[in-house]
């Protein structure tokens, strides 16, 4: 399959409501060879009680074995509730783990490619669920050692409300290779979150340079702005950093449906493309997007409390939430009302062709191509999307860039040496600690604190106190992953007694 056909296949499959025929055709081209099986549908009393409230059906439409004999089932899971797609993630993952863990016939499977479909079929998730079996080598034969939560899930959020750019970058290489049937670890690599985040950050960095250059031109050409910036000690480096930070923050929030809510509508029912709609003049006409639209949005709509009118903002004729928090204060308190900062509209959206053959290289063009999620990744649940941790990474990289070292920073980028770029963080001590390290630090601190406090009250016979506490903490993390399923079961029992 050529590249253009692969991109079209992904768009047809992932930028539309779920369609079983399209999905099956995509899977056949992705894996090159699958064993088509008679459709096996799990429903009714075959679905365990713990999942029955949320799972309507499970449909196995095929199976695949890679060259290393790793078995992968091809599944479709139809959910009962609209909210299940977004909220009941642990339940979904554990349900597939139950299926793969020999639920029907006792045979263990390594993984499954699953379409999780909401009742309206508009939004769905394409997921790889992979078991983490452990082998017990204590005896003569290898045996699978059961784990409390042995499944990990990696997902693309797709459907009529989502863009498929990320899926294209990750899956096109597999689709165009007709001679090679992918291994399970290659499929797992296609669901890599880290590669997507790295790609997005490089785009973000390039936008920062372009915004800064555009601001320089505006300031140079306008005496009034230049004087106001000088008086308020505002520089274009910090202005560019803050502007991009404001916009990317709103991309996360618009996923929650908080913007563009009708005057009598409920929070959460707004458009998930609100910024793009503003640019397309669907909420207000304008001449200059930044001066006429973004500045009022930032410094009035989001900054001023209008709770007495339920957040209604007359200029855009919709509800906008009050955020405050400093992010939407004018930098240096510059005079945004009486100065006209006329950044070119094409900086935000245009029809330029990119090297990847996409249309548009403006801020909104680039941000629109990526999926944003307001949920941070968990050890067992990875969304192939831009998550809030990016804000911390952006802070780490850009907080060390200042007007006095900006030219040096550009030279470091041109050198192409990663160490040259990172030296700015080292110089100013600006670092963002990833959540995995914070998680480890907190866990170890808790273990050592409990070991110290309990050592004085536990008898000397408890020689392995610290090891026991470590076991408790580690197992406790796994148990917490099953708590939601346990609560679902408990609630079902309670509801049954009430009837």
């Amino acid at each position: 399959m050529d590249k253009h056909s692969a991109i079209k296949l992904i768009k047809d499959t992932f930028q539309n409501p779920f369609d079983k025929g399209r999905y099956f055709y995509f899977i056949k081209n992705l894996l090159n060879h699958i064993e088509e099986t008679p459709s096996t549908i799990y429903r009714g009393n075959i679905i365990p009680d713990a999942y029955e409230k949320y799972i309507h059906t499970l449909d196995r439409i095929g199976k695949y074995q890679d060259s290393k004999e790793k078995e992968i089932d091809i599944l479709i899971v139809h959910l009962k509730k609209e909210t299940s797609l977004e909220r009941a993630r642990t339940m979904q993952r554990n349900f597939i783990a139950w299926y793969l863990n020999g639920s029907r016939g006792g045979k263990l499977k390594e993984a499954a490619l699953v379409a999780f479909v909401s009742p309206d079929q508009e939004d769905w998730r394409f997921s790889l669920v992979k078991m983490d079996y452990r082998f017990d080598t204590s005896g003569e034969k290898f045996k699978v050692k059961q784990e409390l939560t042995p499944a990990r899930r990696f997902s693309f959020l797709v459907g009529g409300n989502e863009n498929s750019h990320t899926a294209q970058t990750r899956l096109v290489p597999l689709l165009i290779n007709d001679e090679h049937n992918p291994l399970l670890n290659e499929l797992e690599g296609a669901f890599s979150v880290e590669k997507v985040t790295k790609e997005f950050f490089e785009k973000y960095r390039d936008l920062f340079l372009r915004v800064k250059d555009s601001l320089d031109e505006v300031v140079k050409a306008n005496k009034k702005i230049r004087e106001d910036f000088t008086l308020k000690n505002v520089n274009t480096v910090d202005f560019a950093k803050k502007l991009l930070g404001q916009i990317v923050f709103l991309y996360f929030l618009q996923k929650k449906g908080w913007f563009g809510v009708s005057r009598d509508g409920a929070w959460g029912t707004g458009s998930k493309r609100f910024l793009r709609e503003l640019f397309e003049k669907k909420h207000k006409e304008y001449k200059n997007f930044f001066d006429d639209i973004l500045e009022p949005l930032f410094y009035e709509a989001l900054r001023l409390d209008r709770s007495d009118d339920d957040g209604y903002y007359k200029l855009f004729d919709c509800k906008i939430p009050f955020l405050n928090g400093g992010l939407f204060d004018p930098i240096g308190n510059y005079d945004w009302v009486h100065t006209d900062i006329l950044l070119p509209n094409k900086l935000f959206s245009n029809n330029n062709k990119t090297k990847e053959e996409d249309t548009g290289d403006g801020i909104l063009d680039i941000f629109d191509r990526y999926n944003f999620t307001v949920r941070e990744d968990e050890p067992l649940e990875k969304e192939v999307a831009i998550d809030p941790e990016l804000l911390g990474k952006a802070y780490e990289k850009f907080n060390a860039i200042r007007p006095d070292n900006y030219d040096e920073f550009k030279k470091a980028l041109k050198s192409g040496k990663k160490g040259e770029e990172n030296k700015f963080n080292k110089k100013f001590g600006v670092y963002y600690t990833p959540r995995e390290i914070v998680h480890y630090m907190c866990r170890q601190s808790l273990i050592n604190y409990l070991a110290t406090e309990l050592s004085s009250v536990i008898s000397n016979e408890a020689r392995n106190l610290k090891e026991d506490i470590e076991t408790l903490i580690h197992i406790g993390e796994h148990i917490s992953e099953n708590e939601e399923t346990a609560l679902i079961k408990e609630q079902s029992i309670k509801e049954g007694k009430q009837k």
Side-chain angles (χ1 to χ4, degrees):
M1 178 178 289
D2 61 71
K3 183 177 179 180
H4 290 288
S5 297
I7 290 173
K8 184 179 185 303
L9 176 57
I10 291 174
K11 286 183 177 180
D12 290 344
T13 307
F14 289 163
Q15 289 185 196
N16 287 295
F18 179 77
D19 179 85
K20 183 176 179 179
R22 281 196 299 256
Y23 175 65
F24 187 61
Y25 182 68
F26 165 78
I27 291 293
K28 286 201 298 185
N29 281 277
L30 178 71
L31 302 178
N32 294 327
H33 174 73
I34 67 172
E35 181 182 340
E36 298 184 33
T37 61
S39 183
T40 304
I41 299 179
Y42 291 58
R43 59 158 54 95
N45 58 10
I46 299 180
I47 305 292
D49 292 344
Y51 310 108
E52 186 275 335
K53 188 176 180 180
Y54 293 87
I55 303 296
H56 180 61
T57 60
L58 179 148
D59 184 2
R60 188 185 76 170
I61 60 174
K63 55 185 180 180
Y64 171 76
Q65 186 176 84
D66 71 9
S67 60
K68 292 187 177 181
E69 299 185 350
K70 300 290 186 180
E71 294 195 16
I72 303 170
D73 275 6
I74 316 303
L75 308 175
I76 301 170
V77 174
H78 284 276
L79 305 171
K80 284 186 176 180
K81 293 186 175 183
E82 299 287 350
T83 56
S84 297
L85 186 67
E86 179 62 27
R87 297 180 184 175
R89 299 187 182 194
T90 300
M91 178 276 301
Q92 295 168 27
R93 186 176 67 249
N94 287 346
F95 174 65
I96 300 301
W98 163 82
Y99 169 84
L100 294 173
N101 199 13
S103 62
R104 306 291 291 176
K107 187 174 183 180
L108 302 178
K109 303 289 183 68
E110 279 79 15
L113 287 170
V114 191
F116 291 93
V117 187
S118 63
D120 66 1
Q121 302 197 33
E122 180 73 15
D123 296 313
W124 52 291
R125 269 190 172 79
F126 176 54
S127 300
L128 171 68
V129 182
K130 180 175 178 289
M131 300 295 283
D132 281 344
Y133 293 121
R134 297 291 182 267
F135 289 93
D136 184 358
T137 59
S138 57
E140 294 182 1
K141 296 181 179 180
F142 286 99
K143 293 183 179 180
V144 174
K145 183 180 179 181
Q146 295 290 331
E147 297 287 343
L148 286 169
T149 53
R152 297 180 184 272
R153 182 168 77 153
F154 311 86
S155 302
F156 292 99
L157 179 61
V158 297
N161 296 313
E162 299 294 333
N163 194 298
S164 66
H165 171 82
T166 300
Q168 291 173 34
T169 61
R170 308 307 309 141
L171 298 173
V172 162
L174 293 178
L175 283 170
I176 62 179
N177 191 341
D178 296 326
E179 304 299 323
H180 174 66
N181 298 335
L183 299 171
L184 175 57
N185 65 344
E186 291 174 324
L187 289 172
E188 188 173 352
F191 284 81
S192 170
V193 181
E194 290 73 18
K195 292 179 180 178
V196 173
T197 302
K198 180 182 177 182
E199 175 190 286
F200 178 83
F201 182 79
E202 290 174 352
K203 302 285 187 185
Y204 189 96
R205 183 184 59 198
D206 293 341
L207 287 172
F208 163 66
L209 299 177
R210 287 169 52 197
V211 171
K212 198 271 183 188
D213 290 343
S214 293
L215 282 165
D216 285 340
E217 293 177 10
V218 170
V219 172
K220 182 179 179 180
N222 191 305
K223 181 181 178 182
K224 187 175 182 179
I225 296 174
R226 191 163 59 250
E227 289 176 347
D228 187 48
F229 276 23
T230 300
L231 179 65
K232 307 291 177 57
N233 196 29
V234 176
N235 64 79
T236 55
V237 171
D238 290 335
F239 199 117
K241 289 191 290 187
K242 184 161 188 174
L243 174 56
L244 279 178
Q246 290 167 324
I247 295 175
V248 77
F249 184 69
L250 295 186
Y251 262 81
F252 287 110
L253 293 189
Q254 72 178 0
K255 295 290 292 184
K256 299 178 74 66
W258 284 1
F259 303 126
V261 178
S262 64
R263 185 162 193 168
D264 297 321
W267 292 108
T269 60
S271 171
K272 295 182 179 180
R273 298 181 65 254
F274 182 67
L275 290 173
R276 172 58 66 177
E277 290 179 0
L278 285 175
F279 189 84
E280 293 173 348
K281 303 182 180 180
K282 292 184 178 180
H283 297 273
K284 183 183 176 359
E285 291 289 329
Y286 64 85
K287 290 184 178 179
N288 183 272
F289 183 63
F290 179 76
D291 196 54
D292 299 332
I293 300 296
L294 288 187
E295 284 189 314
L297 172 64
F298 295 160
Y299 308 131
E300 279 188 345
L302 296 165
R303 179 171 171 250
L304 303 180
D305 188 358
R306 299 176 312 285
S307 56
D308 57 335
D309 199 10
D310 198 22
Y312 178 73
Y313 185 56
K314 186 176 181 180
L315 188 66
F316 299 150
D317 189 28
C318 64
K319 293 200 292 189
I320 303 288
F322 167 59
L323 297 181
N324 199 4
L327 180 60
F328 297 102
D329 288 336
I331 186 169
N333 198 30
Y334 80 93
D335 189 357
W336 71 273
V337 175
H338 297 103
T339 55
D340 296 323
I341 300 180
L342 304 179
L343 290 171
N345 291 338
K346 65 182 180 180
L347 178 66
F348 299 93
S349 185
N350 55 61
N351 292 318
N352 297 340
K353 289 291 184 181
T354 70
K355 63 181 181 180
E356 298 87 5
E357 299 183 18
D358 294 312
T359 300
D361 63 0
I363 298 172
L364 303 185
D365 299 323
I366 290 174
F367 288 4
D368 280 348
R369 290 189 191 114
Y370 291 87
N371 304 99
F372 286 78
T373 176
V374 294
R375 290 179 61 104
E376 294 191 12
D377 282 342
E378 303 167 6
L380 300 177
E381 188 77 41
K382 301 286 186 180
E383 191 89 43
V384 189
I386 307 303
D387 73 5
E389 188 174 33
L390 174 91
L391 300 175
K393 293 177 180 178
Y395 176 82
E396 174 189 83
K397 290 295 183 183
F398 293 114
N399 197 53
I401 309 308
R402 306 174 186 190
D404 59 343
N405 66 13
Y406 177 75
D407 291 336
E408 186 182 355
F409 171 69
K410 290 186 70 174
K411 290 179 181 178
L413 291 181
K414 288 182 178 180
S415 72
K417 299 178 181 178
K418 187 175 180 180
E420 289 295 304
E421 182 180 353
N422 291 340
K423 73 179 183 181
F424 295 92
N425 300 87
K426 196 175 295 185
K427 180 178 180 180
F428 292 101
V430 179
Y431 288 100
Y432 170 75
T433 307
R435 72 172 67 88
E436 292 85 357
I437 297 177
V438 173
H439 179 77
Y440 173 80
M441 292 167 62
C442 292
R443 187 174 62 191
Q444 293 305 117
S445 296
L446 179 60
I447 290 170
N448 284 291
Y449 170 78
L450 291 175
T452 301
E453 292 297 313
L454 293 176
S455 61
S456 60
V457 296
I458 301 295
S459 66
N460 291 332
E461 296 178 1
R463 298 177 180 177
N464 298 321
L465 176 61
K466 187 173 181 180
E467 289 84 351
D468 291 341
I469 292 173
E470 287 178 340
T471 301
L472 173 65
I473 297 298
H474 293 162
I475 290 180
E477 290 179 338
H478 289 302
I479 291 174
S480 67
E481 286 293 326
N482 287 278
E483 285 180 351
E484 183 174 343
T485 300
L487 290 172
I488 292 170
K489 178 70 172 177
E490 180 183 355
Q491 185 63 31
S492 298
I493 294 172
K494 289 180 179 178
E495 291 176 355
K497 288 181 179 179
Q498 290 172 357
K499 291 181 180 179

